[in-house]
Amino acid sequence: MTAVTDWESRNDAYLAAGLEWLRSRLSAGPVDGSGDSADDVWWQGAELDAESATPPALELLGDRLGLSRFERLTLLLCAAMEFDPAMAARCAAAAGQVETGQPTFGLALSILPEPAWDALSPQRPLRYWRLVEVHQGAGRPLVASGLRADERIVNYLKGLNQLDDRLDHLVRPVGDILGPLEPSQDAAVLDGLGAWAGPAAQVPLVEVLGADPAVRQGLARAIAQRAGLLLYELATDRLPRAGLDLADVIRLWERETLLLPLALYIDVSDAPAEEAGSLHGLLRDLSGAVLVGCREPVAVPGRPFRLVDARRPSPVEQEKLWGDVLADVAERDSGLDAVTRRLSGEFDLNQAAIREAAQRARAGGGGTDGLWNICQAQARPRLEALAQLQEAVASWDDLVLPDEETMLLRYLTDQVRGRSTVLRHWGFAKTITRGSGITALFAGQSGTGKSLAAEVIAGELGLALYRVDLSGVVSKYIGETERNLRQVFDAADQGGSLLLFDEADALFGRRSEVRDSHDRYANIEVNYLLQRMEDYRGVAILTTNQRQAVDHGFLRRLRFVVSFPFPSPRERALLWRRAFPAQTPVDDLDLSRLTRLAATGGMIRNIALNSAFCAAGRQAPVTTALVLEMARVEFRKFQLPVSDADFRATAKAVP
């Protein structure tokens, strides 16, 4: 504090001496430019203390922006209007004007030593860095136009060094959102710092790659902080679209980087494709320390860059974090190690999210019991905007399949439970670099139980079930399908979710049927989907009605392929027995008669529900005749063959 106060005192004294020198120059009138009189010691800088660690603000500014002595004195003359209200009258008198006003370039040329005519050229610092504003009226020559010092620069000369308020709506300071970094993240920060270590004609962009926006921003802040810079984030959606206005913003920011230790963070991960060109131009033109948050590398022509991986803490680090933040509940909850292992195995959260989840669980008073739901809620806001959340209420008893297919689904759930143990504690993670995801293809015609099976698995594992309609994700525009899929997986990467990709027929096709570039690109889209499924920490399931349309090369990349056959009579009988809840009033249903209907499980559920609705509306029990009537409606809906004899109730024999 004492050093700052001393500098402020020296700066005030230096400005006071400069103002006094200006008053004497204005009173003396025009000079020959030599400035060798005894009172001209100040302008030469002879009063500056060579031993001083920090020069006065005018000299600092001049050194950083490359101002000559004449340009520094011209700037001081313009700023003097703000320091001394009587200075305007002195300027008017020295220029022979009747009215007081702003100083002119002509006045500066006449009273200041070492005048230079190019001082107000657009390429020189006074105008290039917007240090002075020229008020040139119609028909008035530049030399006679009024000059005014920029308000930000006037404050700087006073010793007030704060960010230009014209940038307030465009940038905001980046705070510490992650807290202490983990060792794996520290290594990434050191890698980013290396980009600014050596001399370079142009400072490289530091591109921070990752799916988690908080981690991208947190590592960018750490890189800037360790470089001794304050990080500000640019709101790209507020940038002016006009070229000249954008150039002014760039120039203002670059001026700020010369006055303050600043770095700029620009997140382009969600930028619309149509804005890619303008963003590339912005990144190319901005000088100084610039960090870019992105999901994929951004190639900016003519600008060197350094890639930095912005990952969440590793699974081992997350397990340790969970143990640290839950240490205070260890006495109340037995099996804390099992809890932390399960949480770190299923969820992929950054350290801030882990601390927040633990704090919410602690505030709720429920110990670790509610942590699973709290962690799932972390991803819901992002994922629910891209997929449909379905409540998983079905159980194994609701699923009617042949024993072999049911066993495959049991194997799938066992693998999900044991995956983290195998990878992390049994050493398989060192030998398997990719393909550790639990993926499956459910194949069968509509209504055979594919979606129901996904619901059963989600309920069994405590996962949130999200349905992604692939027919809505696939786009005719090249690159757009991958973009849509990336958004889904990035949002689900935090874990605790089962992704059900419905209608995979919209994307899958046989590789042998490639006819043009669009067909080849469709295979790229399929490969991208399968690659993201393999790397996904949760469970990803595809459903298709046409297994024969899926190439065998794609099938090899799926861990499970489960066929859902048309239900046999035995299975249909079981489905009909479970179709009506115990509370439903039924009138001696003829199950053997209903079993003869060639209906899928989905059709049987619809028929039972429609029958119950109608019976309740008629205030009567559900009868065989009513069920057959609703079955006729269901069969006609799917344009299936309908024979009146098949849907006519058989009269009961009279005893």
Side-chain angles (χ1 to χ4, degrees):
M1 180 64 70
T2 303
V4 174
T5 304
D6 290 345
W7 179 87
E8 290 176 347
S9 299
R10 292 197 311 272
N11 187 66
D12 291 343
Y14 189 77
L15 276 181
L19 292 175
E20 186 60 33
W21 179 84
L22 277 178
R23 294 186 191 99
S24 67
R25 304 302 295 174
L26 289 169
S27 301
V31 296
D32 61 5
S34 63
D36 290 334
S37 59
D39 64 344
D40 282 341
V41 176
W42 179 87
W43 79 270
Q44 296 173 341
E47 293 186 355
L48 289 175
D49 182 2
E51 301 299 326
S52 175
T54 307
L58 177 63
E59 305 305 333
L60 269 176
L61 183 74
D63 293 343
R64 291 175 179 176
L65 302 186
L67 276 69
S68 67
R69 292 305 302 174
F70 174 71
E71 289 166 339
R72 300 182 196 205
L73 297 176
T74 301
L75 178 60
L76 179 63
L77 176 64
C78 298
M81 303 299 103
E82 306 293 338
F83 300 143
D84 182 1
M87 195 65 73
R90 293 177 182 272
C91 289
Q97 299 173 348
V98 178
E99 298 180 358
T100 60
Q102 297 168 325
T104 64
F105 187 46
L107 177 63
L109 289 171
S110 66
I111 70 166
L112 299 178
E114 299 182 355
W117 280 94
D118 67 340
L120 278 193
S121 69
Q123 289 74 34
R124 292 296 301 169
L126 286 178
R127 291 183 66 185
Y128 181 86
W129 292 118
R130 315 299 201 257
L131 305 182
V132 297
E133 302 169 9
V134 180
H135 297 277
Q136 188 173 7
R140 174 171 291 188
L142 179 63
V143 71
S145 301
L147 302 179
R148 182 180 179 182
D150 183 77
E151 180 182 356
R152 163 74 169 104
I153 300 304
V154 171
N155 290 332
Y156 184 87
L157 296 180
K158 291 178 182 177
L160 303 176
N161 195 9
Q162 296 177 340
L163 190 73
D164 197 314
D165 58 9
R166 285 169 290 188
L167 295 172
D168 284 347
H169 71 293
L170 291 174
V171 299
R172 64 176 183 86
V174 177
D176 184 9
I177 56 178
L178 286 184
L181 300 183
E182 294 300 310
S184 60
Q185 297 171 325
D186 266 325
V189 171
L190 292 175
D191 189 27
L193 280 173
W196 300 337
Q202 191 175 22
V203 180
L205 294 173
V206 175
E207 297 188 6
V208 189
L209 279 72
D212 192 320
V215 175
R216 291 197 301 264
Q217 192 179 88
L219 295 195
R221 181 184 184 274
I223 294 171
Q225 186 179 40
R226 296 187 191 183
L229 303 175
L230 302 173
L231 186 65
Y232 280 76
E233 181 179 12
L234 176 68
T236 56
D237 58 326
R238 297 182 181 179
L239 281 172
R241 298 297 177 232
L244 289 177
D245 292 338
L246 183 59
D248 288 336
V249 170
I250 294 174
R251 191 71 51 80
L252 278 178
W253 175 258
E254 290 179 339
R255 189 181 77 178
E256 289 302 309
T257 63
L258 296 173
L259 304 180
L260 288 165
L262 298 177
L264 189 64
Y265 176 70
I266 307 175
D267 197 307
V268 301
S269 56
D270 293 324
E274 58 271 17
E275 294 185 6
S278 60
L279 283 174
H280 286 183
L282 175 67
L283 295 174
R284 182 190 62 245
D285 295 339
L286 277 168
S287 62
V290 179
L291 300 105
V292 183
C294 48
R295 291 191 181 96
E296 297 174 347
V298 180
V300 180
R303 185 78 186 262
F305 64 93
R306 172 73 66 89
L307 298 179
V308 175
D309 286 327
R311 295 191 178 96
R312 301 182 183 103
S314 69
V316 174
E317 291 169 339
Q318 289 187 42
E319 184 173 347
K320 182 179 182 303
L321 278 169
W322 278 116
D324 293 341
V325 298
L326 297 176
D328 62 331
V329 297
E331 295 182 359
R332 292 187 287 112
D333 288 347
S334 59
L336 184 63
D337 287 345
V339 172
T340 58
R341 181 176 297 185
R342 182 171 182 242
L343 290 172
S344 60
E346 179 57 42
F347 296 100
D348 186 17
L349 304 177
N350 63 56
Q351 50 265 59
I354 289 175
R355 287 193 297 270
E356 181 185 350
Q359 184 177 3
R360 289 176 58 186
R362 191 179 296 110
T368 59
D369 293 339
L371 271 173
W372 187 269
N373 292 334
I374 292 172
C375 292
Q376 280 185 328
Q378 299 272 7
R380 282 188 180 178
R382 294 179 60 202
L383 195 50
E384 286 186 359
L386 303 166
Q388 181 182 359
L389 176 64
Q390 294 185 194
E391 187 177 2
V393 296
S395 66
W396 291 104
D397 291 337
D398 299 311
L399 193 61
V400 178
L401 283 175
D403 292 342
E404 185 175 350
E405 280 69 27
T406 301
M407 188 57 64
L408 280 176
L409 298 179
R410 295 280 189 180
Y411 291 155
L412 190 155
T413 57
D414 289 341
Q415 290 198 16
V416 175
R417 288 194 180 99
R419 178 177 51 180
S420 63
T421 299
V422 169
L423 293 177
R424 197 181 320 157
H425 300 282
W426 290 6
F428 275 79
K430 298 178 181 178
T431 60
I432 300 177
T433 57
R434 61 179 308 173
S436 60
I438 305 300
T439 60
L441 176 71
F442 289 176
Q445 71 180 73
S446 297
T448 52
K450 301 186 296 295
S451 297
L452 182 65
E455 184 181 330
V456 170
I457 293 171
E460 174 77 7
L461 297 171
L463 302 176
L465 174 61
Y466 285 94
R467 179 182 176 274
V468 183
D469 187 355
L470 274 177
S471 62
V473 170
V474 174
S475 173
K476 66 179 180 180
Y477 298 105
I478 290 179
E480 193 65 24
T481 299
E482 288 101 313
R483 175 185 173 87
N484 296 337
L485 290 170
R486 184 186 66 231
Q487 289 179 336
V488 172
F489 279 104
D490 284 353
D493 264 345
Q494 290 179 297
S497 303
L498 186 154
L499 295 180
L500 176 64
F501 291 93
D502 219 355
E503 304 294 340
D505 307 311
L507 190 59
F508 278 100
R510 298 189 65 83
R511 265 192 304 212
S512 59
E513 297 177 356
V514 174
R515 293 180 297 273
D516 55 26
S517 61
H518 287 282
D519 291 333
R520 286 190 292 273
Y521 199 81
N523 287 332
I524 295 175
E525 294 171 342
V526 172
N527 279 314
Y528 180 81
L529 171 62
L530 294 176
Q531 180 259 314
R532 290 303 302 259
M533 288 176 63
E534 289 175 318
D535 295 337
Y536 178 51
R537 289 169 59 110
V539 182
I541 297 174
L542 293 163
T543 69
T544 178
N545 297 336
Q546 303 175 17
R547 176 174 173 173
Q548 68 276 9
V550 182
D551 187 86
H552 286 285
F554 296 145
L555 291 178
R556 285 196 298 269
R557 300 178 61 180
L558 296 165
R559 192 171 297 274
F560 292 94
V561 177
V562 183
S563 296
F564 288 74
F566 194 90
S568 65
R570 183 185 69 82
E571 291 160 351
R572 292 201 298 271
L574 188 57
L575 287 168
W576 277 115
R577 290 191 185 96
R578 299 176 180 178
F580 295 97
Q583 300 92 327
T584 306
V586 295
D587 184 12
D588 193 18
L589 292 180
D590 187 353
L591 294 181
S592 62
R593 177 73 182 82
L594 298 176
T595 299
R596 291 199 296 270
L597 297 175
T600 65
M603 294 175 67
I604 291 173
R605 284 191 298 274
N606 289 340
I607 294 169
L609 187 61
N610 291 338
S611 301
F613 283 159
C614 286
R618 299 172 183 178
Q619 296 184 349
V622 177
T623 63
T624 301
L626 178 58
V627 173
L628 290 172
E629 187 181 340
M630 292 299 101
R632 183 199 302 267
V633 173
E634 187 73 9
F635 272 64
R636 284 180 173 171
K637 181 175 72 176
F638 290 102
Q639 296 182 337
L640 297 175
V642 175
S643 172
D644 289 342
D646 293 335
F647 298 94
R648 185 181 302 117
T650 304
K652 292 182 180 181
V654 178

